[in-house]
Amino acid sequence: MIRTIDTVIIGGGLHGLSCALQLARRGVSVAILERRWIGRHASTANAGGVRTLNRDLRELDLTLTSLKMWRVLDEFLGENCGFQQIGQIRIAENPTEFAHEARRINNLQQAGYTHEEMLDKASLYRLLPSLAPHCSGASYAKGDGAADPHLTVNAYRRAAESAGVLLLEGHGVNALASEGLEWRVDTDYGSFLTASVVIAAGAWSPALARLAGEIVPASVKASMMIVTEQVSEFPGPVIGCVGAALSLKQTRTGSLLIGGGLQGQANVERERTRVDFHALATGMSTPLRLFPQLAGVRIARCWTGIEARTPDDLPIIGPSSRLPGILYCYGFSGHGFALVPVVGAVIADMIVGETPTHEKWPVSALSIERFEHRKEDSDERYRQHG
Ligand SMILES: Cc1cc2nc3c(=O)[nH]c(=O)nc-3n(C[C@H](O)[C@H](O)[C@H](O)COP(=O)(O)OP(=O)(O)OC[C@H]3O[C@@H](n4cnc5c(N)ncnc54)[C@H](O)[C@@H]3O)c2cc1C
């Protein structure tokens, strides 16, 4: 059976859901094709951090817009996503790191940004009284926070279904071919004819682009997370640290959720991951140095998630420069949860085409065109070797 629909979105993670919801609310008919089940991969494996702190300048404006959208997301979706504005902090453990952060924030402020501030030693210890005594200060974004990835996936799912999105789980896309001005998208359970295809398939996006006939850049991240047993009251903001992979916060149940980019192993083809216990043990030296009272706290669970990483650690958002009708939304490189509300709106505007997107959204630095020179090399290899 071949069905005709305005837009097909490949991948039922948070980005696919956000794009679908925004499109459906603009009157576009949409199907999400998800190979496993909604939220199967990075969208539920993540730490839920919503961070503008220390963001790359090329995606900062977009992230600040997304943060505003997070603040009203429960209302937009009609359900609670667990977003809490608890702030995010980046601790400088010595004067050199403190000076580095102070310079960074000074530059930001000179460029007109006010979302980050420096905390001197006294202010830092007022905020985190149980922190080990050696630290010098911190950078701090008090408007940042964190949400609950599972609540967020469920809320997006129900909002998308209510808006009329056709949501098909167990529908892996195995072929993509242009037919005149349209694309034909094949799964084992049927095919679709559509004017536009959004590839939002996380770490598997390059494989799908290849089905359509384009080589796109990406490698893989396999970030690890830990949940501890419940601990007594632990202070407010999401805690990071200059020069170390750390993100630490207390969940509503009292456990600590610790991540920050420590890498495990991933087998993308088999969709399998493995925790690297050696790397995990080494990485835990940072939270133990900052909070020695955590020694002896037991780990309840740990896992590794799979996510696409681009050469510059920034996502690829927008149309293919070579294949009309194909749009990319992937490569969030470990920090795409924070961008979910805004990226869906950007992609939907690109497809509906009401306002020239570059006038409305600050995404020109995130176009795939920034990798054109690399792609020419890869395309040549593809032509030669298939
Ligand atoms: C451990 C970890 C911690 C993180 N912490 C944070 C954080 O604190 N803050 C933050 O901002 N970001 C964080 N991230 C990043 C964030 O989780 C991701 O950027 C985001 O979830 C990406 O969502 P997605 O929808 O693009 O991808 P995914 O959720 O991976 O969804 C892609 C979907 O595509 C489907 N798919 C693949 N191939 C096909 C096919 N052929 N046909 C149909 N469907 C297919 C997959 O099954 C999957 O469901 C973290 C990531 C990890 C792994």
Side-chain angles (χ1 to χ4, degrees):
M1 186 177 75
I2 301 185
R3 300 170 75 156
T4 300
I5 197 153
D6 294 338
T7 300
V8 165
I9 294 177
I10 307 177
L14 276 168
H15 281 287
L17 288 167
S18 178
C19 295
L21 175 62
Q22 292 279 358
L23 280 163
R25 289 199 181 165
R26 285 163 175 73
V28 176
S29 63
V30 193
I32 292 183
L33 304 180
E34 163 54 49
R35 179 162 58 187
R36 304 295 172 212
W37 59 88
I38 293 298
R40 161 66 182 90
H41 281 290
S43 293
T44 51
N46 71 75
V50 177
R51 174 181 60 80
T52 62
L53 182 77
N54 192 35
R55 204 85 188 190
D56 189 301
L57 276 179
R58 288 166 292 177
E59 61 172 4
L60 179 54
D61 289 330
L62 197 66
T63 315
L64 287 166
T65 306
S66 204
L67 178 61
K68 284 189 196 146
M69 294 170 83
W70 271 105
R71 293 195 181 124
V72 292
L73 195 60
D74 291 358
E75 210 179 304
F76 181 72
L77 298 178
E79 259 185 63
N80 177 20
C81 296
F83 176 73
Q84 288 184 296
Q85 189 184 315
I86 52 178
Q88 296 229 4
I89 194 165
R90 200 165 128 87
I91 294 171
E93 289 190 81
N94 55 53
T96 311
E97 290 177 355
F98 186 81
H100 174 273
E101 285 304 277
R103 263 196 312 279
R104 191 177 64 73
I105 290 196
N106 188 36
N107 289 342
L108 269 182
Q109 287 173 349
Q110 292 204 344
Y113 294 103
T114 54
H115 62 287
E116 288 197 46
E117 61 187 295
M118 278 311 281
L119 299 182
D120 61 14
K121 186 158 185 153
S123 314
L124 171 62
Y125 282 90
R126 264 197 302 280
L127 192 64
L128 299 178
S130 57
L131 181 67
H134 66 276
C135 300
S136 299
S139 51
Y140 180 43
K142 61 172 175 288
D144 284 1
D148 181 320
H150 291 269
L151 290 181
T152 307
V153 166
N154 288 336
Y156 262 106
R157 175 190 192 130
R158 282 190 277 264
E161 282 175 323
S162 305
V165 172
L166 180 63
L167 221 153
L168 297 171
E169 293 170 292
H171 280 61
V173 171
N174 49 39
L176 255 175
S178 66
E179 286 197 0
L181 294 176
E182 299 195 299
W183 284 92
R184 179 184 161 131
V185 187
D186 292 337
T187 75
D188 284 344
Y189 303 102
S191 301
F192 290 81
L193 267 187
T194 183
S196 50
V197 177
V198 180
I199 297 184
W204 298 271
S205 299
L208 284 150
R210 198 179 169 99
L211 285 181
E214 186 167 31
I215 304 288
V216 297
S219 57
V220 173
K221 274 193 98 163
S223 300
M224 296 187 285
M225 298 293 313
I226 285 178
V227 176
T228 69
E229 62 181 326
Q230 294 171 337
V231 297
S232 54
E233 191 59 32
F234 214 79
V238 180
I239 298 167
C241 182
V242 178
L246 176 68
S247 133
L248 180 155
K249 65 173 168 284
Q250 192 162 32
T251 66
R252 282 168 301 162
T253 61
S255 307
L256 296 179
L257 185 63
I258 307 178
L262 294 168
Q263 294 299 291
Q265 282 124 30
N267 182 326
V268 179
E269 285 72 34
R270 298 184 61 210
E271 298 177 61
R272 295 264 179 239
T273 59
R274 194 182 272 190
V275 173
D276 181 334
F277 286 98
H278 183 70
L280 208 56
T282 309
M284 284 310 103
S285 63
T286 306
L288 288 172
R289 192 170 65 247
L290 295 176
F291 300 100
Q293 65 273 34
L294 292 179
V297 169
R298 285 173 301 181
I299 292 174
R301 286 186 295 134
C302 52
W303 66 89
T304 306
I306 308 182
E307 153 102 300
R309 176 179 209 169
T310 62
D312 58 9
D313 279 333
L314 291 170
I316 295 176
I317 298 169
S320 157
S321 48
R322 300 181 181 192
L323 305 172
I326 298 282
L327 291 97
Y328 296 117
C329 174
Y330 80 96
F332 291 91
S333 307
H335 49 263
F337 183 76
L339 290 170
V340 164
V342 73
V343 169
V346 172
I347 293 281
D349 275 356
M350 284 172 167
I351 289 173
V352 173
E354 274 165 3
T355 321
T357 311
H358 62 277
E359 283 177 16
K360 188 168 170 193
W361 302 105
V363 287
S364 51
L366 306 178
S367 142
I368 195 160
E369 286 173 19
R370 71 188 191 273
F371 297 118
E372 278 310 310
H373 61 288
R374 287 171 188 259
K375 279 170 30 44
E376 270 152 27
D377 298 345
S378 333
D379 287 353
E380 186 51 35
R381 278 203 301 279
Y382 185 50
R383 274 193 293 277
Q384 284 174 10
H385 306 295

